[in-house]
Amino acid sequence: MAIDKKIIFLKTVKYLGIAFGSILVVMFLTPIIFSDTIKEEVKKYANTKLEGELNYGDANLSFFKHFPSLTLTLNDVNLNGSIPFEKEKFVSAKEIAFGIDVSSLVFGKAIDIDQIIVTEGNINVKVDKNGQANYNVYKGSEQTSKKVEEKNNTALQLQKIEIINSKVVYDDQSTAIHLDLFDFNYIGKGDLASDVFDLYSKIAIAKMNFIYENEPYLMNKKVEGDLITKVNVNSLSFIFEQNNLNINRLLVDFKGKFDFLKDGYNIDFNIKSKDSELYDLINAFPPKFITWLEKTEIKGKTDLLLTLKGKYITSEKIAPDLHLDLKVKDGFVNYNKSKFPVSNLNVDFKAKLQSLDPNQLLLDVNGISLNIEKEYLKAKWHSKGVENIELNGELFSFIDLEKLNNALGIPNLTIKGLLTGKGTMNGTYNAKTNSFPIADIAIDLKNGFIQTEYYPNPITNINCNATIKNQKGSIDDLKVRLQPASFTFEQEPFKVEANLENFKDLTYDVKAKGVLNISKIYKVFSQKGLDVDGYIKTDLALKGKQSDAEKGNYSKLNSKGTLEIRNIAVASTYLPKKLLIKEGIFKFNQDKMSFNTFLASYSQSDFKLNGYLKNVFNFLSPRKGTLKGAFTLQSKYINVNEFMSSENPTVLKEVNTTTSKTDNSITEINTTSTGVIIIPKNLDLQFKAIAQKVDFQELHLTKANGNLKMKNGKLHLQNTNFNLIGCQVGMSALYESLTTKKALFEYQIKATDFDIKRAYKEVKIFREMASAAEKAQGIVSLDYKLKGRLNANMEPVFPSLVGNGVLSVKDIKLYGMKMFNVVGSQTNHDKMKNPELSKVEIKSSIKNNIMTIERFKFKFAGFRPRIEGTTSLDGRLNLKMRLGLPPFGLFGIPITVTGNKDNPKIKVGRETQDLEEKEDKETE
């Protein structure tokens, strides 16, 4: 029996060895036998199924590369993206392996690919601002013709996708989302060949970065997770059914839905973390908090709920709703073993952002409270709306800010002082209905102190006693008192006392004395300097009532003192750039504010003002009273183009922090001017202006002087004289801005003896309205009135123009004008091709895009031409001409000129055709 067992064992081993050897032989020979066939079929499949350009090095087929699967491995793979990213890499990898279903290879009609394995890949997903993506590289069945499908013997029947040690970058400019995944490992299993399937995934990321609108939210976070996702290939829809993620140590449950739309996304995300440790939540924050965490003891529980739901379609300005709900329970924070830790920290915070619109932000702080020993801070807050703002809040505090600062370990900040606060606010703020919440608030800060790492010296001796009271819920019952507010900075004390009542008819009593070094104060709170190195020095006492200022009852006002400012940048909604006040000393006397040597610049423009303003306090109040004043203005250079409004507000790009007081500059993002110059309606100002040089559009004026008046949103220029293209010009004008894109104007201009060739070359409006003067030479004069409308680029809208005047020709030669060339050719009088005019007055009028030229005559080489008719401002002609023949012009040839200035049509006869008028339309 022992011999039989031994024989059986040996035979078994023999057969198993033969079988195993046979399998090895088959596994070795199969790739050799089918190598060319598989490579050819996969290449064919790629050509018919991929939109992007695919390139790779060599390819090999083996059972042993990813044992036990038979895989075709492509080395050094590069796949470009779809339009418009067809020249940029979408996927590159050290190798991409395609798993082959062996049974389909032997018995099937088509070669089935059931796995894709990407090793050391770089996956670069891009979406531009218009929502166009680079990942649309796979052609669906609808894009492939039936004939191609029949010829193709390869098909995707995916059961598994694996990504090993790869990097993924997702950059979506349409949603301002950027995602980086480093050392990305992923295994996804499911029937990926089906139109609808469940994808079971395992994910591990060594480092993840998440950035939204250039603001980092998650940086260098380790992520692990198990996910179940239902995928609908036909509709490009993803349902996240079960997704348990660990971000560092924070456990997050992620569920939701994500659909690709034609021009955007449909999103329904639900991110929840229940009963997590407060430490783990903070550990998932940006890296700058991690250093702080190393020295901080943190306890407490948190609940987090974040939802994002709705469509995101950039082209239609549709965005989803964002909701955040955060709770912190029984928190404890102690930085660097402080003697006075924060305990009993409780937070109940909710925020909702409808359509991701900051103007629709809803905040609910149902409670925030903490203790430091027996000291406390408690607050609640609710706000909703923009124009009609619902406000509800309360504050109770008695806390030493130094203890709070030490316990929390706020980086780069030292604060001190005893803060006592008590107050409630409940109601609605609406400026239009003069409503203000019922309020009773008292705040007292004693011996305050602030110092940051950005500036070596602190702000000290901060004391503020402020009260806000309103018992009726209307703005006329609002009372605000500062009794007082003071601080010391750089050994310069500053103190302000204020008593403000009845904001409907503001009664004010304000006293301010001291120096505010604005640039250095700003440096205390920021690493960057202010736009310029500026300061304000005050010694003021302002007392009165707004209605007395409006009515001119100046005897009832008591305003006196001085205000000195240097190198201050002033922003205004009316100006696209910033006004730099280099130097200004203001003296207050009742309602009058006198300017003594006020120096300012606006980008390239400079100004020197002397004069006065009245009704200043009323102008600065919420009711925006009318500012009155009279000035003498002098300037070396004014660039009017820089005052044109812009749809996109100017944004500071960088600040020159090393500039001296005499050479301060602001670097700004260039924005295209797409608006007219805005004249505020609450200005009543008069200027006597003298400017050495003025630039507007293509007009270059020198030695300009005149009287300028602004009132009721209109600008009047009176008795204005300047030099243009070498001649003296007199002008009066009226300008009124109706909207940011529309303005009205009218002006009268008188220019004597100017060079017509130079005018055509240097003055844009002259080229547009007198296009026939292109090849003219000589001296002319102009006396013309014109009014009309300007578009958003401060250019005249031709159909709106109405005017009349006289063009006086002193001595002019017309060379190469097509109209006279054709007349000369068709009448066989070559001398008419280049006529000369002298002492001729041409009267004309403009309306509905048509210039009507009254009859005028001139003599030339024995001929006596007579011309009249109409031309359009876009160059169309309808002129009548009588060519009086030598010697006395008793006999003449009637001629009509039609067509346009570039292609005039000349006919002998009197028949003409009226030009089509274009009436002005306000919608243009």
Side-chain angles (χ1 to χ4, degrees), residues 95 133 245 352 441 452 569 579 686 765 782 790 923:
E95 61 179 46
L245 297 173
K352 187 174 183 180
I441 302 171
T452 70
L579 174 67
Q686 296 184 37
I765 193 171
L782 180 66
L790 300 175
T923 55

Side-chain angles (χ1 to χ4, degrees), residues 487-500:
F487 62 85
T488 300
F489 182 60
E490 293 283 18
Q491 300 180 346
E492 293 280 2
F494 182 85
K495 181 179 180 180
V496 59
E497 295 183 41
N499 189 352
L500 308 176

Side-chain angles (χ1 to χ4, degrees), residues 73-92:
T73 302
L74 307 180
N75 298 305
D76 301 322
V77 181
N78 288 303
L79 173 63
N80 286 1
S82 55
I83 297 173
F85 303 97
E86 65 273 17
K87 294 184 179 180
E88 299 180 19
K89 291 180 182 178
F90 167 42
V91 177
S92 61

Side-chain angles (χ1 to χ4, degrees), residues 381-401:
W381 180 261
H382 167 87
S383 65
K384 179 182 179 182
V386 181
E387 293 184 0
N388 193 63
I389 307 175
E390 296 179 14
L391 297 171
N392 189 329
E394 59 182 46
L395 169 70
F396 301 96
S397 72
F398 179 77
I399 197 159
D400 187 321
L401 296 179

Side-chain angles (χ1 to χ4, degrees), residues 15-32:
Y15 293 140
L16 287 174
I18 294 171
F20 182 71
S22 300
I23 292 172
L24 288 177
V25 171
V26 170
M27 293 178 70
F28 178 77
L29 292 177
T30 299
I32 298 174

Side-chain angles (χ1 to χ4, degrees), residues 303-314:
D303 292 336
L304 173 69
L305 175 63
L306 176 66
T307 64
L308 185 65
K309 186 174 182 178
K311 293 182 179 180
Y312 203 128
I313 304 175
T314 305

